[in-house]
Amino acid sequence: MSNPERTMDAPVAEALERLYERYDDRAWVDPDPLALLYGFDDVRDREIAGLVASSLAFGGVRQIMRSVEIALAPMAGSPAAFLAETPPAEFRRIYEGFRHRWATGDDLAAVLAGAAAMIAADGSLEAGFRSKLDPGGETVIEALADFAGRIVCGVDDDGACLLPSPCRRSACKRLNLFLRWMVRRDAVDPGGWEVPAAMLVVPLDRHMHRFGLALGLTGRRQADLQTALEITAAFRRVSPADPVKYDFALTRLGIRDDDDRAELLGRLGIA
């Protein structure tokens, strides 16, 4: 049975901190779609680019990078201006023929239309997200469900596959990744949104799930929302103000294949 009060030993927590310090450097980012956000200094541009990049963050990383570059190309360096000046009906024409694995240009167009509608109503994606954020809440999940629902709802069924809702118990890995990029501020994550980092939830992919199981942070075999919340709760007891702090370092470690990997995994007690 899963135990939501799982924690980690002090030596493991210290190893995680050393791991974070090692990987808190943009030199480790490429290849990662996050690297494509660094060129957007305006947070209003960055939030749209981040939504596109995170929505397409599935499959092989080189394929992801190429698809995100193709998706951002029509925006000509200013995603905010593109959404403000382009009639929503034009999105389907602009992205006709776009495909990223099973996602089509219609799926991407639906997400952009929903994002444009939120920006028109609230002024920005950040404002739309924060409108349902409970500052006293433990996590962002309630606001995230509203955010995903508003963008997908009212357009059509296209786009729902790119923005799954936590209401369906999805771990929402890509949306939580988007929030990590937009909320946290360090050498890797550019931030820009005024949302408490303490409320973030780990973007649960297979690497993070594996680490969570190996470190005893969860006993759940399903990579679902409850598992993501359990792993986040364990990290929160180590880093209350920033429970997603170790996500980038652990996922870098998970995909690396070099001579340091075994030694670093050994520090964490992972075979």
Side-chain angles (χ1 to χ4, degrees), residues 162-206:
L162 291 178
L163 294 183
S165 172
C167 292
R168 299 177 182 177
R169 309 314 294 168
S170 166
C172 295
K173 176 252 181 178
R174 284 170 281 138
L175 276 172
N176 282 312
L177 183 64
F178 167 67
L179 289 180
R180 196 200 88 197
W181 294 345
M182 294 308 306
V183 172
R184 294 194 68 258
R185 295 177 179 86
D186 61 10
V188 169
D189 292 322
W193 278 18
E194 296 301 322
V195 171
M199 298 178 70
L200 295 178
V201 174
V202 293
L204 185 64
D205 63 5
R206 63 187 179 89

Side-chain angles (χ1 to χ4, degrees), residues 159-264:
C161 60
L162 291 178
L163 294 183
S165 172
C167 292
R168 299 177 182 177
R169 309 314 294 168
S170 166
C172 295
K173 176 252 181 178
R174 284 170 281 138
L175 276 172
N176 282 312
L177 183 64
F178 167 67
L179 289 180
R180 196 200 88 197
W181 294 345
M182 294 308 306
V183 172
R184 294 194 68 258
R185 295 177 179 86
D186 61 10
V188 169
D189 292 322
W193 278 18
E194 296 301 322
V195 171
M199 298 178 70
L200 295 178
V201 174
V202 293
L204 185 64
D205 63 5
R206 63 187 179 89
H207 300 298
M208 181 58 75
H209 190 203
R210 174 184 171 229
F211 288 132
L213 288 166
L215 294 171
L217 308 183
T218 184
R220 293 176 55 83
R221 296 291 170 176
Q222 304 94 337
D224 58 12
L225 177 61
Q226 185 58 39
T227 301
L229 291 173
E230 285 192 10
I231 294 173
T232 302
F235 283 130
R236 187 177 291 112
R237 285 187 282 277
V238 175
S239 179
D242 192 4
V244 182
K245 176 179 182 178
Y246 308 112
D247 177 66
F248 177 77
L250 282 171
T251 51
R252 290 300 93 182
L253 186 61
I255 65 175
R256 289 181 64 195
D257 186 18
D258 57 30
D259 292 339
D260 287 340
R261 187 173 185 272
E263 187 269 334
L264 289 169

Side-chain angles (χ1 to χ4, degrees), residues 133-134 136-143 198-201 229 232 236:
L133 185 69
D134 177 7
E138 185 174 55
T139 74
V140 295
I141 293 301
E142 183 177 344
M199 298 178 70
L200 295 178
V201 174
L229 291 173
T232 302
R236 187 177 291 112

